[in-house]
C-alpha cells in the first residue's frame, strides 16, 4: 500500500445510499435496495482520485447508532472505533445522510462527530429532496456542524463529484472527541432540532405519494389482498413468460446437439457431447428465462420499497410462528438463494430470532429448484385454465412455493414450543419512501444474475454433468449382456444401491442417483437426469417426454415435494456453519430437513398411488 | 398515556420512554430514533392481525413498532399538553 493511500469509511443510517455511493465511486456492483439492512458486511473498493491519489473506500452496514444492537451494526461500530480485527482506523469518515430524512440522520452525524475523527458529511438524495421542495442551507449547516458538507446524488452519473473533490483535497481537522453518556446523548436530539430550525425548510414531513400509497398497501383488508395478488402474479409470470422461451432454447439445443452428432464419429466422445453437454447442460440452460423473470420481480420489489410494507402486514403472523417481521426480508432473499438470505439475517437483533430464521431459510424455494420444478411440472401437469385465467401449471408452482412457506412456519412453530420462548422480540423497522426502479439498475441486476447462473452452469454443473456422463457410460456392458448397457455402469450400481432408501417414496434408480449431484447444486439434478436417460437411450423427444414415460405421476409429485423440503446444497450448510459458528446448527438443519422431506414425500407418494 | 393506546391519526407528543427492565436496549434504541420529550408522533396505520404492529410517524420517518415496544413510549395528546 503506497503511503498516499487514503482510507475512507462510508457510514450512516440504514438506507441512506452508502452502497449506491460506494458503487458510484469505485465502479463496484454491490447490492443496493430500498430497505434498511441491505449491506451486512464490510466491503472494500478503491479508486484513483483526479489528483492521482489512491482512495480506499469501505462500505459498511447502516446503523442507527454506534451503540450497536445487531451483528451488522457491530461491524460498523468496530470499524469506526478501530477495533475491527485486521482493519486500521479509517483516515476519514464520510458520513452519509438522507437529505429527506434529516431529523433522524443528523443525530447519527453528531454521534459520529463525537468520535473525534475527520468527518465529511454527504447529503445524499438531493434529487428527491429538491423534488419535494426541501431547502437546505448548506453553508449554514456546515458552519454550525463544523464539518465539510457536500451534496450528492448517488444514483446519478457524476452525482458524487462534489464528494470526490472534497475527499481528494485536504483531510479536514477532527472535532475533539467527546465521551458518550446518557445525558450528552439526550442532548444530541436538542442539537438536531436547533440545526433543523436554522437550516432546513421542509414543506411536508413525508412525501405525499408515500401517504397515498400507504393508505392502500397498509390497509387491513386491501393491503393483504394486494400482497396476495402481487405474490400470485409473480408465479404466474414465471410460467407464462418464462416457459415459451425455455421451449425455444430447448429446441435450439436439440438441433445443435443433433448437428454436432453428425460431425463426430459415433462413440463415447459423441455421446459426451450430445448427451452430456447439449442434453444435460442445455436442459439446465433452458431454465434461465424462468430464473430471470423471477429475479425481475424480486429486483423491482426490492427497489420499490414495498417489501418492508409486506413485512409490516405479515409481522403478526410471523410472530405466531416464532419469527419476526424482520425475518421477512432475509426469507424473501432466500427465494433467490438461501445464502444471501442467511447472511441477511445479520440485521436481526434478537439472536434466537436470527437462528430460527437461518434454520428455516433453506425451506424457501430458491431459484436453483426452479429448473427441477419447471421440468416436472412441464412433463406431468397439463396446461389447463383454472377459472379461465390461471394456468394450472402456474398454480402448481405457486403451491410448491406455498408448501415451502407453510413448512417453514411449521418448523418455526415447533422450535418456538420446544424452546418455550416467552421473551420479547423487538421489531423496530423503518418503512422507507417508495421509489421508482430505474430501468438501468434493473437491467444491471438481471445481467448480474444471469452471469452468476452461467458461471454455475459452466463451473460446478458442467463438472458434475461430465462426471455423471462418465459414471453412466463406464464400464460398458459385458459380452453377451442381456440388459441395457447402462445397467452395468457405475451409475446403474450406485443408483440401484440408493434405491433401497428411496423406493418407498417412489424414486427409480435414475432419480435416486441424480440426488447426489443435486447436493452440490440443485439444478444439476436436471442435467444428471437428462444425461442418464440420454446415455440409456431413453430420452427421445426431450427429457420431459422421457420422464413422463418412465415414472408415474405419484413419483413425480413425490419428487417435487422432496425438492421442496430436502436438505440440499452444500454451500447452504457451509454458510450456516460460518454464520452461526456451530456444527450443531448444521446437523439440526440437515437432520430436520431430511426427516421432513422423506416423510412428506412418503405420504404424497403413497396417497397419490392409492388415488391413481 | 402510552403510544400503544393512542388512536390512529390522533396527534400527540412524546413524553418519555420508560425502561421495561433494568438494562433495556429496546428503550435506548427508541430514544436514539427520536422518541424524546416534545417530539410529535402519530399512529399512521395498524397491522391487520390483532392491531399489531403499529406504524408510527416520528420526525420525517415511519417506524413499525410492536405494541410491546410502543407501550414503552409515554405520550401526551396535544390538548393535554
Ligand atoms: N433518488 C435517489 N435515490 C437514491 C440515492 N442514493 C440511493 N438511493 C436509493 O436509496 C436506496 C438505498 O440505497 P443503498 O445504497 O442500498 O443504501 P445503504 O445506505 O447502502 O443501505 P444499507 O446497506 O441498508 O445500510 C436504494 O433504493 C437506492 O436506489 C439518491 O441520491 N437519489
Ligand atoms: Mg448498503
Amino acid at each position: 500500500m503506497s503511503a498516499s493511500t487514503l482510507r475512507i469509511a462510508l457510514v450512516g443510517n440504514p438506507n441512506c445510499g452508502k452502497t449506491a455511493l460506494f458503487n458510484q465511486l469505485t465502479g463496484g456492483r454491490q447490492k443496493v435496495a430500498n430497505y434498511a439492512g441491505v449491506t451486512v458486511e464490510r466491503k472494500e473498493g478503491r479508486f484513483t482520485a483526479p489528483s492521482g491519489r489512491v482512495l480506499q473506500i469501505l462500505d459498511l452496514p447502516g446503523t442507527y447508532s454506534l451503540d450497536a444492537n445487531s451483528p451488522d451494526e457491530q461491524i460498523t461500530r468496530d470499524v469506526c472505533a478501530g477495533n475491527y480485527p485486521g482493519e486500521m482506523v479509517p483516515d476519514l469518515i464520510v458520513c452519509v445522510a438522507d437529505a429527506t430524512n434529516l431529523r433522524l440522520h443528523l443525530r447519527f452525524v453528531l454521534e459520529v462527530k463525537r468520535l473525534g475523527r475527520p468527518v465529511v458529511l454527504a447529503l445524499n438524495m438531493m434529487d428527491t429532496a429538491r423534488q419535494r421542495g426541501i431547502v437546505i442551507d448548506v453553508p449554514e449547516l456546515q458552519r454550525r456542524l463544523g464539518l465539510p458538507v457536500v451534496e450528492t446524488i448517488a444514483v446519478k452519473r457524476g452525482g458524487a463529484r462534489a464528494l470526490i473533490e472534497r475527499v481528494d483535497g485536504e483531510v479536514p481537522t477532527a472535532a475533539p472527541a467527546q465521551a458518550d453518556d446518557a445525558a450528552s446523548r439526550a442532548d444530541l436530539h436538542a442539537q438536531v432540532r436547533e440545526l433543523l430550525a436554522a437550516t432546513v425548510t421542509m414543506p411536508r414531513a413525508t412525501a405525499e405519494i408515500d401517504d397515498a400509497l400507504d393508505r392502500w398497501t397498509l390497509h387491513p383488508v386491501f393491503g393483504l389482498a394486494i400482497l396476495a395478488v402481487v405474490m400470485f402474479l409473480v408465479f404466474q409470470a414465471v410460467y407464462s413468460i418464462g416457459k415459451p422461451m425455455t421451449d425455444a432454447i430447448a429446441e435450439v439445443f436439440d438441433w445443435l446437439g443433433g448437428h454436432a452428432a453428425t460431425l463426430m464419429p459415433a462413440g463415447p466422445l459423441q455421446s459426451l457431447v450430445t448427451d452430456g453437454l447439449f442434453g444435460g447442460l442445455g436442459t439446465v440452460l433452458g431454465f434461465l428465462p424462468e430464473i430471470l423473470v423471477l429475479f425481475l420481480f424480486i429486483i423491482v420489489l426490492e427497489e420499490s420499497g414495498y417489501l418492508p410494507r409486506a413485512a409490516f402486514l405479515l409481522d403478526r403472523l410471523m410472530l405466531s410462528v416464532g419469527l419476526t417481521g424482520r425475518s421477512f426480508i432475509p426469507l424473501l432473499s432466500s427465494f433467490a438463494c438461501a445464502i444471501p438470505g442467511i447472511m441477511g439475517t445479520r440485521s436481526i437483533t434478537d439472536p434466537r430470532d436470527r437462528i430460527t430464521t437461518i434454520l428455516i431459510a433453506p425451506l424457501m424455494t430458491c431459484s436453483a429448484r426452479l429448473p427441477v420444478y419447471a421440468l416436472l411440472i412441464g412433463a406431468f401437469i397439463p396446461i389447463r385454465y383454472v377459472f379461465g385465467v390461471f394456468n394450472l401449471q402456474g398454480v402448481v408452482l405457486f403451491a410448491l412455493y406455498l408448501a415451502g412457506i407453510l413448512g417453514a412456519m411449521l418448523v418455526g412453530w415447533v422450535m418456538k414450543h420446544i424452546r418455550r420462548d416467552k421473551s420479547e422480540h423487538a421489531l423496530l423497522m423503518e418503512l422507507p419512501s417508495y421509489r421508482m426502479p430505474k430501468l438501468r439498475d434493473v437491467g444491471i441486476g438481471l445481467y448480474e444474475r444471469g452471469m452468476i447462473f452461467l458461471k454455475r452452469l459452466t463451473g460446478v454443473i458442467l463438472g458434475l454433468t461430465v462426471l455423471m456422463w462418465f459414471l453412466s457410460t463406464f464400464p460398458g456392458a459385458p459380452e453377451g449382456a442381456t440388459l441395457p448397457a447402462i445397467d452395468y455402469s457405475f451409475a446403474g450400481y450406485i443408483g440401484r444401491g440408493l434405491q433401497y432408501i428411496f423406493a418407498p417414496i417412489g424414486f427409480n434408480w435414475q432419480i435416486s442417483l441424480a440426488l447426489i449431484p443435486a447436493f452440490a447444486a440443485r439444478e444439476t439434478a436436471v442435467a444428471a437426469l437428462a444425461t442418464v436417460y440420454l446415455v440409456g437411450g431413453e430420452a427421445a423427444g426431450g427429457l420431459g417426454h422421457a420422464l413422463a414415460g418412465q415414472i408415474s405421476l405419484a413419483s413425480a409429485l413425490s419428487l417435487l415435494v422432496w425438492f421442496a423440503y430436502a436438505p440440499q446444497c452444500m454451500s447452504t450448510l457451509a454458510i450456516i456453519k460460518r454464520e452461526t459458528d456451530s456444527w450443531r446448527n448444521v446437523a439440526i438443519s440437515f437432520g430436520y430437513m431430511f426427516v421432513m422431506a422423506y416423510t412428506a414425500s412418503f405420504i404424497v407418494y403413497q396417497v397419490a398411488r392409492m388415488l391413481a | 398515556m402510552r403510544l400503544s393506546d393512542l388512536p390512529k391519526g390522533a396527534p400527540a407528543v412524546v413524553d418519555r420512554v420508560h425502561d421495561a427492565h433494568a438494562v433495556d436496549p429496546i428503550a435506548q434504541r427508541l430514544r436514539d430514533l427520536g422518541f424524546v420529550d416534545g417530539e410529535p408522533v402519530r399512529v399512521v396505520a395498524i397491522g391487520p392481525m390483532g392491531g399489531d404492529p403499529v406504524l408510527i410517524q416520528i420526525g420525517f420517518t415511519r417506524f413499525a413498532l410492536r405494541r410491546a415496544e410502543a407501550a414503552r413510549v409515554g405520550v401526551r395528546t396535544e390538548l393535554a399538553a
Side-chain angles (χ1 to χ4, degrees), chain A residues 13-20 31-39 59 61-62 124-128 152-155 303 435 438:
Chain A
N13 282 53
N15 210 35
C16 63
K18 297 173 294 299
T19 304
K31 179 168 172 179
V32 168
N34 192 9
Y35 55 83
V38 181
T39 309
D59 183 25
N124 193 34
M125 314 229 184
M126 281 310 291
D127 53 337
T128 321
T152 59
I153 303 172
V155 291
E303 182 62 19
R435 253 186 267 284
K438 292 209 175 54

Side-chain angles (χ1 to χ4, degrees), chain A residues 63-65 67-69 73 100-104 107 185 189 193 196 202 204-207 210-211 214 218-220 224 309 312-317 319 323-325 424-433, chain B residues 8 14 20-21 24-40 42 44-70 72:
Chain A
T63 177
Y64 290 108
S65 157
D67 185 11
N69 268 2
E73 293 185 346
T100 65
N101 206 351
L102 288 177
R103 174 65 187 87
L104 181 66
R107 195 206 69 88
R185 249 187 179 193
H189 284 293
R193 281 184 196 150
L196 285 181
M202 293 279 285
R204 258 178 132 262
T206 51
D210 290 351
D211 296 346
D214 278 347
L218 299 180
H219 188 277
L224 286 175
R309 267 90 187 169
F312 175 83
L313 292 173
L314 296 176
D315 179 65
R316 186 56 191 265
L317 186 66
L319 186 64
L323 293 166
T324 135
E424 186 183 359
H425 301 235
L427 179 62
L428 282 178
M429 179 178 64
E430 181 180 348
L431 299 202
S433 282
Chain B
K8 190 176 145 188
V14 175
H21 23 259
D24 188 355
I26 298 176
Q28 184 51 46
R29 183 45 65 94
L30 285 169
R31 284 180 207 115
D32 287 344
L33 294 179
F35 290 87
V36 289
D37 186 20
E39 199 69 29
R42 197 163 52 88
V44 281
I46 54 174
M49 293 165 243
D52 203 10
V54 287
L55 185 63
I56 308 295
Q57 172 81 41
I58 183 158
F60 313 138
T61 323
R62 282 165 301 250
F63 284 104
L65 306 185
R66 294 237 172 91
R67 287 203 169 264
E69 290 145 38
R72 286 181 169 84

Side-chain angles (χ1 to χ4, degrees), chain B residues 1 11-15 37-40 75-81:
Chain B
M1 190 176 185
V13 287
V14 175
D15 189 20
D37 186 20
E39 199 69 29
V75 296
R76 30 181 211 272
T77 51
E78 292 289 60
L79 293 176

